[in-house]
Every structure is written in C-alpha cells, then in structure tokens.
Amino acid sequence: MADSDAGPMLRRYDTLVKMMFLGDSGVGKTCLMSSYAGQPVSDSHISTIGIDFKMHTVDIDGHIARIQMWDTAGQERFHTLCTQYYRRAEGVMLVFDITNEESFRNVRMWLQSVEDHAPQDVCQVLIGNKSDLDGNRRVRKTDASALAEEFGITYFETSAKLTTNNNMSEAMELLIRQILEKKGVFNDEANKDEHTASIRLDENPASTQSTQSSYCSC
C-alpha cells in the first residue's frame, strides 16, 4: 500500500473513507494518527478536546482512498459529543495502552458504545498501543487477542514511536480494505465509474471540522 498524501488541494480520489479512533484519554490515538499520516509526533500529553480530524490518502490496489480520521476525546465528559459522529463512521480503531490495564478493561465499554451508536455493520480493529514500552506491559497479548476474537475483530499491537515494524500501516490497510470491500470497490466493476468520479477535497462535510488540534501521549 503506497501512501500518496502529497499534491494540491484539488487532488482527486476515488472513495472517501470515514474512520473513528476510540479509546481512553492518553492511550495515544492522536499520535497514531499523526504517525500514520506522516506528521510530527509530539512527546507532550495534551488531550484532544471534543473531535479533531486528520486526512490521509492511500492507494489500495490502484484504488485511491481518502481517509478522514476522526480523533475523539477519551474523557467521559465528551462522550455525548462524540457519539453523534458514530453513525457516520465506516471504520473504528479501538485503542488501548498495553501499559495501562484500566484502558484495556474499558475497551468493553467502547465496544458497547460502538454497538449502541454506530452502524450495525461498521468495521472494527482492536489496537494495543505503545508496543515500544513492552518492558512496562500490563496487558498480556493473549488476553487482548482473546477479547478481539470474542468480538470477531483483528488485534494489532502498534507504536507511534517506532518508525519500522510498528504494525500501524498493516492495521489501517486491513480496516480500509474491509470498508472498500463492503462498498463493492473490488467486486463490483459496474460501479467503477461512479467510484472514480472526480471529488474535490474541499467538499468534505463541515460537521467534521475539528474543535481543537492537539497531540496526546504516545
């Protein structure tokens, strides 16, 4: 999967994919998004307030997908605000911190929130973040894998600090492929012309504009 995020604002793409990152505050959602989008990753911990988003373009087997990544606040006081975005999500990255057992226990709460508010067929992936801190691990891989298997989703361990073998590209590609397959991109050639219609990047819904741009703990 080749990244293709450079170019003018009028760059064309085939499909817009809307993806949410969910999880407790401080698990590293913002850092993962920044790392994946090729943006600087900060060591400071400034929690996201409300909803922020980042954009990134990828090439999946010649199909250009523009990924709109929604960065949600993990604090409880913002949950009501964030749930209004669930119903428009096509994919969900459920993130916990492998060094924080409570963030893993709360994954069930986030899963329940997805079930309550997101489309019934939304694609999901479970992410155990901060794999670079394996020496401080508090969540066993077997436990995380078992939880993912229970809910029929795939588990990856990632790190925004690692520049290679961080599994983020693999996790994102899997989720994007699942979404594109549901859209019929790979198995419905009759819709190809519709998918490849020119789309201007400045036509994104206004409701997805960020409330505050910030970084969180990696």
Side-chain angles (χ1 to χ4, degrees), residues 3 5 21 28-44 46 48 52-56 69-71 129 159-162 166 168-169 172 212-218:
D3 289 346
D5 211 27
F21 281 60
K29 301 185 295 295
T30 305
C31 288
L32 284 177
M33 290 172 55
S34 297
S35 175
Y36 178 69
Q39 299 175 0
V41 175
S42 173
D43 288 328
S44 62
I46 304 175
T48 300
D52 192 8
F53 77 86
K54 299 185 186 301
M55 305 293 291
H56 191 53
M69 297 178 287
W70 299 344
D71 185 7
N129 193 32
S159 170
K161 292 290 187 69
L162 299 177
N166 64 9
M168 189 57 189
S169 293
M172 287 292 290
Q212 176 172 324
S213 178
S214 56
Y215 290 101
C216 69
S217 172
C218 301

Side-chain angles (χ1 to χ4, degrees), residues 23-131:
D24 286 5
S25 178
V27 297
K29 301 185 295 295
T30 305
C31 288
L32 284 177
M33 290 172 55
S34 297
S35 175
Y36 178 69
Q39 299 175 0
V41 175
S42 173
D43 288 328
S44 62
H45 182 181
I46 304 175
S47 296
T48 300
I49 297 176
I51 293 282
D52 192 8
F53 77 86
K54 299 185 186 301
M55 305 293 291
H56 191 53
T57 305
V58 294
D59 183 334
I60 305 290
D61 297 342
H63 188 90
I64 306 303
R66 185 67 170 170
I67 314 303
Q68 190 177 81
M69 297 178 287
W70 299 344
D71 185 7
T72 62
Q75 301 97 317
E76 185 175 355
R77 68 182 184 274
F78 294 117
H79 287 186
T80 300
L81 170 65
C82 295
T83 54
Q84 63 183 294
Y85 288 85
Y86 283 58
R87 64 180 180 274
R88 298 197 299 273
E90 298 169 298
V92 175
M93 284 273 183
L94 295 151
V95 185
F96 71 91
D97 176 354
I98 67 167
T99 70
N100 184 333
E101 189 174 0
E102 182 179 3
S103 72
F104 176 65
R105 291 196 300 268
N106 287 339
V107 167
R108 288 187 179 274
M109 178 271 290
W110 292 109
L111 284 163
Q112 185 62 54
S113 189
V114 170
E115 182 176 344
D116 291 343
H117 302 288
Q120 185 175 7
D121 58 350
V122 66
C123 300
Q124 302 177 70
V125 168
L126 180 62
I127 298 294
N129 193 32
K130 307 188 184 181
S131 61

Side-chain angles (χ1 to χ4, degrees), residues 152-210:
I153 59 181
T154 305
Y155 175 60
F156 292 88
E157 293 201 343
T158 64
S159 170
K161 292 290 187 69
L162 299 177
T163 57
T164 59
N165 300 321
N166 64 9
N167 284 335
M168 189 57 189
S169 293
E170 290 78 3
M172 287 292 290
E173 180 170 353
L174 174 65
L175 194 55
I176 294 166
R177 283 185 178 277
Q178 290 176 348
I179 294 169
L180 294 180
E181 287 170 2
K182 289 179 59 177
K183 288 175 174 284
V185 168
F186 299 123
N187 57 15
D188 189 355
E189 290 297 321
N191 290 333
K192 186 173 181 180
D193 291 339
E194 178 182 348
H195 285 304
T196 55
S198 297
I199 305 174
R200 292 171 62 93
L201 294 189
D202 57 2
E203 292 176 352
N204 291 325
S207 61
T208 59
Q209 293 182 352
S210 64

